[in-house]
Amino acid sequence: MTDRLTIRRPDDWHLHLRDGAMLSAVAPHTARDFGRALIMPNLVPPVTDMTAALAYRQRIQNATKGFDFTPYMALYLTEDTSPETIRAAAADDAVIAVKLYPAGATTNSASGVRHIDSVMPALEAMAETGLPLAIHGEVTTDSVDIFDREKHFIDEVLDPLRQRLPQLRVVMEHITTEDAAHYVSSSDTGLAATITVHHLMITRNHILAGGIRPHYYCLPVAKRSRHRDALIAAAVSGDPRYFMGTDSAPHTDHAKLSPCGCAGMFTAPVAMACLAEVFSGQGHLDRLEGFASVFGANFYGFSPSEQTITLRRHDTPVPVTPIIEADGDQVTVFDPMTPVHWSVEVEAEKKA
Ligand code: NCD
Ligand code: ZN
Ligand code: ZN
């Protein structure tokens, strides 16, 4: 059994770092293991233009001083986003994607898109300039069951959009269904998907069986095991259209454990250890590097990192710190409810 695995330094192509005290508390957990990340723009107010994006980027750089970490930004698409804003973003190396939130679909999405027709001029500018569109792919229609919202989005919004604008490069973020995996696998060009670590590990039972567990609630909501298995198959397939975006999305325990709790899981501190557990469980540690460190970089036009990290396998499960302090409250770290035998080796261990 391999007990050490050295891979190129991974990247996180879907990450929430928040702002202020929360940013300072959570960002080092990502910067320790990851070389680059695509930072989600769903702040309040949202990051809708270059001025806001560059200022936020600077705050992230301040919060990750001393780490070898580069944040890249996604602009938040609204019905007021102009083609000029898109062209300015495409011309600046700091911004590498535009994020589409259907209005009301998820955390801080109220400024998102109600009608796709209203954003066509912006999307056309993206198709022209090659700036990718990252999509939270769920419909928000009340009558559509929450477990079916991703599939409805593919059929009713995404596929028609891709037919209308075939040049548009699209990333379906945090896919959760076999329908999405099938859609990506059967597409020809211009479509990729991120997969989170938690959706490779949990099903809806984690949220609902044996008591309700708000820490496992995120959007898109975890589905039944058949879907998790399809995501695992996609992640370990070696198909470069699938790459890791953790969607690590910290909320305080106060915000999670409320009568209307927030969606999102804080996975950054354990993401690489959990991912190694999944890939080793499938007998595919050899494909971890592609998924975590190569395919996403290539999609966004970067070279994979020249640096490395080493993952180490332990005979006994590795305990993790379950909670961090932030914002005068606590943030609970993702616990996959299954033993994790891996850790990211720190410099001191390497020398030992
Ligand atoms: C994210 C958040 O909290 O910002 N929550 C989540 O459940 N994934 C938003 C998102 O990525 O949809
Ligand atoms: Zn989302
Ligand atoms: Zn997210």
Side-chain angles (χ1 to χ4, degrees), residues 14 16 99 101 106 135-138 173-174 219-220 247:
H14 182 134
H16 301 270
K99 184 68 195 270
Y101 293 103
T106 187
I135 301 186
H136 180 112
E138 289 190 288
E173 298 294 327
H174 47 41
L219 288 167
D247 192 22

Coordinates of all heavy atoms in Angstrom, one line a residue, residues 14 16 99 101 106 135-138 173-174 219-220 247, ligand 2:
H14 N -13.0 26.5 -7.1 CA -14.3 27.0 -6.6 C -14.2 27.2 -5.1 O -14.3 26.2 -4.4 CB -15.5 26.1 -7.0 CG -16.8 26.6 -6.6 ND1 -17.9 26.5 -7.4 CD2 -17.2 27.1 -5.4 CE1 -18.9 27.0 -6.8 NE2 -18.6 27.4 -5.5
H16 N -15.0 29.8 -1.6 CA -15.5 31.0 -0.9 C -14.6 31.3 0.3 O -14.4 30.5 1.2 CB -16.9 30.6 -0.3 CG -17.9 30.2 -1.4 ND1 -18.7 31.1 -2.1 CD2 -18.2 29.0 -1.9 CE1 -19.4 30.5 -2.9 NE2 -19.1 29.2 -2.9
K99 N -19.3 34.5 -12.9 CA -20.2 33.5 -12.2 C -21.6 33.9 -12.4 O -22.1 35.0 -12.1 CB -19.8 33.6 -10.7 CG -20.5 32.6 -9.8 CD -20.1 31.2 -10.2 CE -21.0 30.1 -9.6 NZ -20.6 29.7 -8.2
Y101 N -25.2 33.1 -11.0 CA -26.1 32.5 -10.0 C -27.5 32.8 -10.4 O -27.9 34.0 -10.6 CB -25.9 33.2 -8.6 CG -24.6 33.0 -8.0 CD1 -23.6 34.0 -8.0 CD2 -24.3 31.8 -7.3 CE1 -22.4 33.8 -7.4 CE2 -23.1 31.6 -6.6 CZ -22.1 32.6 -6.7 OH -20.9 32.4 -6.1
T106 N -29.0 30.3 -4.2 CA -28.1 29.8 -3.1 C -27.7 31.1 -2.3 O -28.2 32.1 -2.4 CB -26.8 29.2 -3.8 OG1 -26.0 28.6 -2.8 CG2 -26.0 30.1 -4.7
I135 N -21.1 28.3 -13.6 CA -22.5 28.3 -13.4 C -22.9 27.6 -12.1 O -22.5 26.4 -12.0 CB -23.3 27.7 -14.6 CG1 -23.0 28.5 -15.8 CG2 -24.8 27.7 -14.3 CD1 -23.8 28.1 -17.0
H136 N -23.7 28.2 -11.3 CA -24.5 27.4 -10.2 C -25.7 26.9 -10.9 O -26.7 27.6 -11.2 CB -24.8 28.3 -9.0 CG -25.6 27.5 -8.0 ND1 -25.1 27.2 -6.7 CD2 -26.8 27.0 -8.0 CE1 -25.9 26.5 -6.1 NE2 -27.0 26.3 -6.8
G137 N -25.7 25.6 -11.3 CA -26.7 25.1 -12.2 C -27.9 24.5 -11.5 O -28.1 23.3 -11.5
E138 N -28.8 25.3 -11.0 CA -30.1 24.8 -10.4 C -31.2 25.8 -10.8 O -31.0 27.1 -10.7 CB -30.0 24.8 -8.9 CG -29.1 23.7 -8.3 CD -29.3 23.5 -6.8 OE1 -28.9 24.4 -6.1 OE2 -29.9 22.5 -6.4
E173 N -20.5 24.2 -12.1 CA -19.9 24.1 -10.8 C -20.6 23.1 -9.9 O -21.8 22.8 -10.1 CB -20.0 25.5 -10.1 CG -19.3 26.6 -10.8 CD -17.8 26.4 -10.9 OE1 -17.2 25.9 -9.9 OE2 -17.1 26.8 -11.9
H174 N -19.8 22.5 -9.0 CA -20.2 21.6 -8.0 C -21.4 20.7 -8.5 O -22.5 20.7 -7.9 CB -20.6 22.3 -6.7 CG -21.5 23.5 -6.8 ND1 -22.5 23.6 -7.7 CD2 -21.5 24.7 -6.1 CE1 -23.1 24.8 -7.5 NE2 -22.5 25.5 -6.6
L219 N -25.7 23.6 -1.1 CA -26.4 23.6 -2.3 C -25.3 23.5 -3.5 O -24.3 24.0 -3.4 CB -27.2 24.9 -2.5 CG -28.4 25.0 -1.6 CD1 -29.0 26.4 -1.5 CD2 -29.4 23.9 -2.0
P220 N -25.6 22.7 -4.5 CA -26.8 21.9 -4.6 C -26.7 20.8 -3.5 O -25.7 20.3 -3.1 CB -26.7 21.2 -6.0 CG -25.7 22.1 -6.7 CD -24.8 22.7 -5.7
D247 N -15.6 24.2 -3.3 CA -16.8 24.9 -2.8 C -16.7 25.0 -1.3 O -17.8 25.0 -0.6 CB -18.1 24.2 -3.3 CG -19.3 25.1 -3.0 OD1 -19.2 26.3 -2.9 OD2 -20.4 24.5 -3.0
Ligands
ZN2 ZN -23.2 27.3 -6.0

